[in-house]
Amino acid sequence: MTVKKDSKLFAVTLALLTVYLFWGGTYLGMKVAIESMPPFIMAGVRFFLAGAVLFLIGRWKGAEMPRAAEWKGAGIVGALLLLGGNGVVAWAELRLPSAIASLLVATVPLWILVFNWGGGSRQKPTVGVMAGILFGLAGVAVLVVHPGGADNKGIDTIGILALLFASMSWAFGSLYSRTAKLPASPLMSTALQMIVGGVLLGIASIFLDDWTKLHLTAISLRSWIALGYLIVFGSIIAYTAYIWLLKNAEPSLVSTYAFVNPIVAVFLGWLLADEQLTTQSWVAAGMIIAAVAIITIFRGKSASQAQPVARKEEGKLQASE
């Protein structure tokens, strides 16, 4: 009995570390990949290939072939999460450090609560959650209103606004996915979102003139390696670990990725990409991460009152990482 319990603890710990490290590394991975790849083409290839692999795995594990309505639902979710969310994040990293991108994307849980509350949810935020929301918005304001920079030129305001848009799109897509017609299998559901999202990113790349900037011979080896990392470790392995955690660990524990990932991203950006943040940015970083931690803790305390809803929401939150 003790051996079985220890094995379960080891598996949960390993899965959590996988999600923490691999998802935290996707921001730097995107930054390196778009050094010599147009952002929307890169994101489209990433998600289409990862989605195709997950689709085959889902079918191998016995998932039913998706119906037309499920493809439609997945298409809408994929457009919000991957096109408006991840695709815009990749574009914004042309103008901003990966550390800043990870911090603003960390506000997704905050926007989910704001949109859910504004949409008339019967489950009102507790005082602790509301404090976390306000503190997080204050952190965003510190970053946006008086931005610090990775260099003397400061942080690009358009890039920050793009990331805020991406975070809101991601949050809205996460909420919509709760009522969308999607496959019963979480693996197949995510596969469809990635496949359709990848196609939509490819279409968007045509209108954004990405293809005229694509030169295969000019793509560096480090960008190819980064793309491979995003596909294999970011979208396939880490997501599979996340799905397993949802079934084998407490939701409040699993949701800690929301504030651990930006810490990992900031550290990797400093260590591997020489991204230097000013005092202003560090203050904003601390406020945003603390806000997400506060929201996570207080949501965990009230999870017993609405556990099925909380579990479903968390399961949809970062399917595109």
Side-chain angles (χ1 to χ4, degrees):
M1 188 70 178
T2 303
V3 174
K4 186 176 180 180
K5 186 176 180 179
D6 290 343
S7 299
K8 179 71 173 294
L9 178 61
F10 175 78
V12 168
T13 302
L14 182 62
L16 274 174
L17 289 175
T18 297
V19 173
Y20 289 166
L21 296 176
F22 292 161
W23 273 358
T26 57
Y27 297 96
L28 182 59
M30 285 190 287
K31 186 74 173 178
V32 174
I34 62 175
E35 287 177 349
S36 55
M37 295 181 184
F40 282 87
I41 292 178
M42 181 280 296
V45 171
R46 170 193 174 184
F47 287 114
F48 183 83
L49 292 180
V53 171
L54 291 177
F55 184 91
L56 293 175
I57 293 174
R59 289 289 291 161
W60 176 67
K61 296 184 71 173
E64 296 182 358
M65 184 65 72
R67 299 180 176 88
E70 294 170 339
W71 279 103
K72 178 182 177 181
I76 296 174
V77 175
L80 291 167
L81 292 178
L82 305 183
L83 177 59
N86 198 277
V88 174
V89 170
W91 178 85
E93 287 201 29
L94 289 171
R95 315 170 74 103
L96 292 168
S98 62
I100 297 298
S102 69
L103 290 171
L104 288 176
V105 173
T107 63
V108 167
L110 182 155
W111 295 118
I112 283 181
L113 287 171
V114 171
F115 291 158
N116 199 35
W117 186 30
S121 173
R122 289 176 295 179
Q123 187 178 0
K124 302 301 181 183
T126 64
V127 175
V129 169
M130 199 64 202
I133 291 175
L134 294 176
F135 197 58
L137 290 174
V140 172
V142 168
L143 195 61
V144 175
V145 176
H146 187 57
D151 51 39
N152 294 330
K153 297 179 181 179
I155 292 178
D156 185 87
T157 303
I158 294 177
I160 290 179
L161 294 177
L163 284 170
L164 288 175
F165 170 83
S167 300
M168 292 179 189
S169 179
W170 212 323
F172 191 77
S174 299
L175 286 175
Y176 176 79
S177 68
R178 293 168 54 183
T179 57
K181 180 67 175 177
L182 297 171
S185 165
L187 200 62
M188 185 61 73
S189 175
T190 300
L192 263 61
Q193 293 171 37
M194 288 185 178
I195 291 172
V196 178
V199 171
L200 292 175
L201 284 161
I203 295 173
S205 70
I206 297 174
F207 292 97
L208 294 171
D209 204 31
D210 266 11
W211 289 92
T212 61
K213 305 169 188 173
L214 177 65
H215 304 288
L216 293 177
T217 56
I219 298 177
S220 66
L221 177 60
R222 58 189 263 124
S223 288
W224 282 118
I225 293 174
L227 178 60
Y229 170 86
L230 292 171
I231 294 171
V232 177
F233 295 97
S235 297
I236 298 176
I237 294 178
Y239 181 73
T240 302
Y242 180 71
I243 289 296
W244 183 87
L245 281 168
L246 289 176
K247 296 179 180 180
N248 294 274
E250 289 297 320
S252 57
L253 176 64
V254 181
S255 64
T256 55
Y257 74 84
F259 56 90
V260 175
N261 283 169
I263 295 174
V264 173
V266 169
F267 175 74
L268 291 177
W270 168 78
L271 180 67
L272 301 178
D274 196 30
E275 294 181 349
Q276 303 296 326
L277 302 182
T278 64
T279 303
Q280 186 78 32
S281 298
W282 282 116
V283 170
M287 293 177 69
I288 292 171
I289 294 172
V292 176
I294 291 170
I295 291 171
T296 301
I297 291 170
F298 279 92
R299 285 183 68 200
K301 289 183 178 180
S302 61
S304 59
Q305 300 175 2
Q307 190 171 5
V309 175
R311 183 178 291 271
K312 192 172 183 179
E313 178 179 313
E314 292 296 342
K316 301 297 184 180
L317 177 58
Q318 288 272 356
S320 63
E321 284 284 1

